[in-house]
């Protein structure tokens, strides 16, 4: 079988090459406007008030997410500190209970009996206080698991969303720039606007 040579008219090839060229230029322009939007965001320059207003609901949800993130960290710190203090208090209470019991056994008066009873109650109380560590440890693990799974997964999603939002706002800047020079009578300018 003999190889076929496809003979397409030159104008189809030119349109194809031109569209490929435009797509490269188009990509460069997209990157330019995305970078410009990133710079606006980083430097804290004022953005278009209508664009910012349209994202108000999203920004409120992001603020809620950041609040949950901070609260989880603070809760983990508080639980850890509470566990340490419970251990310390339990040890001190147990030591005091042992001391009162030993002193009460040496004193044969009614005060000695009261010291023994108080010492016994303090030792029992210190054991009960230590029993709080198990549910606290469980709570700490649950909050930490939530932080590692839910918050970190949401954080990745938020980062991707921020990238897309930057691209979107860059495209809006580009569209605004092109629309300022737009002359509806010129076909090329209308075509450029449509591509943006």
């Amino acid at each position: 079988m003999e190889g076929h040579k496809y003979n397409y008219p030159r104008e189809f090839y030119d349109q194809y090459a031109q569209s490929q060229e435009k797509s490269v230029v188009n990509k460069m322009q997209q990157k330019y406007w995305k970078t410009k939007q990133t710079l606006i965001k980083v430097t804290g320059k004022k953005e278009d008030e209508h664009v910012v207003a349209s994202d108000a609901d999203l920004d409120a949800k992001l603020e809620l997410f950041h609040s949950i993130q901070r609260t989880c960290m603070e809760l983990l710190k508080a639980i850890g500190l509470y566990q340490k203090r419970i251990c310390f208090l339990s040890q001190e209470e147990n030591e005091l209970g042992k001391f009162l019991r030993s002193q009460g056994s040496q004193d044969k008066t009614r005060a000695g009996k009261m010291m023994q009873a108080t010492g016994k109650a303090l030792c029992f109380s210190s054991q009960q206080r230590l029993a709080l560590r198990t549910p606290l440890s469980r709570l700490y693990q649950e909050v930490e698991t939530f932080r590692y799974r839910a918050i970190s997964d949401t954080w990745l999603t938020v980062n991707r969303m921020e990238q897309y939002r930057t691209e979107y706002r860059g495209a809006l800047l580009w569209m605004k720039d092109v629309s300022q020079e737009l002359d509806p009578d010129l076909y090329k300018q209308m075509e450029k606007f449509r591509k943006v």
Side-chain angles (χ1 to χ4, degrees):
M1 246 169 109
E2 194 174 312
H4 290 15
K5 290 186 178 180
Y6 298 101
N7 292 324
Y8 291 113
R10 174 101 178 132
E11 59 197 50
F12 287 134
Y13 176 76
D14 288 342
Q15 284 178 350
Y16 174 76
Q18 195 175 24
S19 70
Q20 291 298 324
E21 198 175 294
K22 284 182 181 177
S23 67
V24 171
V25 170
N26 202 12
K27 286 179 185 177
M28 290 298 291
Q29 287 177 328
Q30 281 178 328
K31 287 186 188 271
Y32 167 78
W33 288 103
K34 181 183 173 189
T35 305
K36 186 170 182 173
Q37 175 61 33
T38 304
L39 283 172
I40 288 172
K41 187 177 177 182
V42 169
T43 57
K45 288 186 178 178
K46 188 177 177 192
E47 294 185 60
D48 187 301
E49 60 194 42
H50 302 291
V51 173
V52 172
S54 69
D55 282 353
D57 187 42
L58 177 64
D59 289 333
K61 289 177 183 175
L62 285 175
E63 187 57 39
L64 176 64
F65 167 71
H66 293 302
S67 173
I68 291 169
Q69 189 179 25
R70 284 189 305 273
T71 304
C72 278
M73 290 302 298
E74 290 170 8
L75 184 59
L76 285 173
K77 288 177 187 174
I79 292 171
L81 189 62
Y82 189 48
Q83 282 182 325
K84 287 179 186 174
R85 292 196 176 157
I86 280 179
C87 285
F88 178 74
L89 182 61
S90 178
Q91 284 176 329
E92 294 297 316
E93 200 172 33
N94 193 34
E95 291 296 319
L96 180 61
K98 285 179 182 179
F99 175 75
L100 286 175
R101 283 173 63 186
S102 70
Q103 293 300 316
S105 66
Q106 292 174 6
D107 189 353
K108 300 298 180 192
T109 65
R110 188 167 179 197
K113 287 182 180 181
M114 289 177 69
M115 283 194 288
Q116 280 185 328
T118 306
K120 190 176 181 182
L122 283 173
C123 288
F124 180 75
S125 175
S126 73
Q127 294 302 318
Q128 292 297 314
R129 197 176 308 282
L130 277 181
L132 289 174
R133 288 195 69 214
T134 304
L136 279 175
S137 295
R138 178 73 178 155
L139 176 63
Y140 186 90
Q141 289 172 350
E142 292 291 331
V143 172
E144 193 171 41
T145 301
F146 175 76
R147 196 190 98 204
Y148 279 126
R149 289 190 180 164
I151 291 182
S152 60
D153 182 47
T154 305
W155 182 251
L156 292 173
T157 305
V158 165
N159 283 339
R160 281 196 310 268
M161 183 276 308
E162 286 291 347
Q163 288 175 347
Y164 292 135
R165 178 159 66 167
T166 302
E167 288 177 17
Y168 173 71
R169 286 185 175 181
L172 289 176
L173 281 175
W174 185 12
M175 192 179 289
K176 182 179 176 184
D177 184 61
V178 169
S179 67
Q180 288 173 349
E181 302 168 6
L182 184 64
D183 183 4
D185 295 334
L186 296 174
Y187 177 75
K188 279 189 173 185
Q189 286 185 347
M190 284 300 288
E191 193 60 34
K192 184 178 178 183
F193 184 75
R194 283 189 193 115
K195 284 182 181 177
V196 172

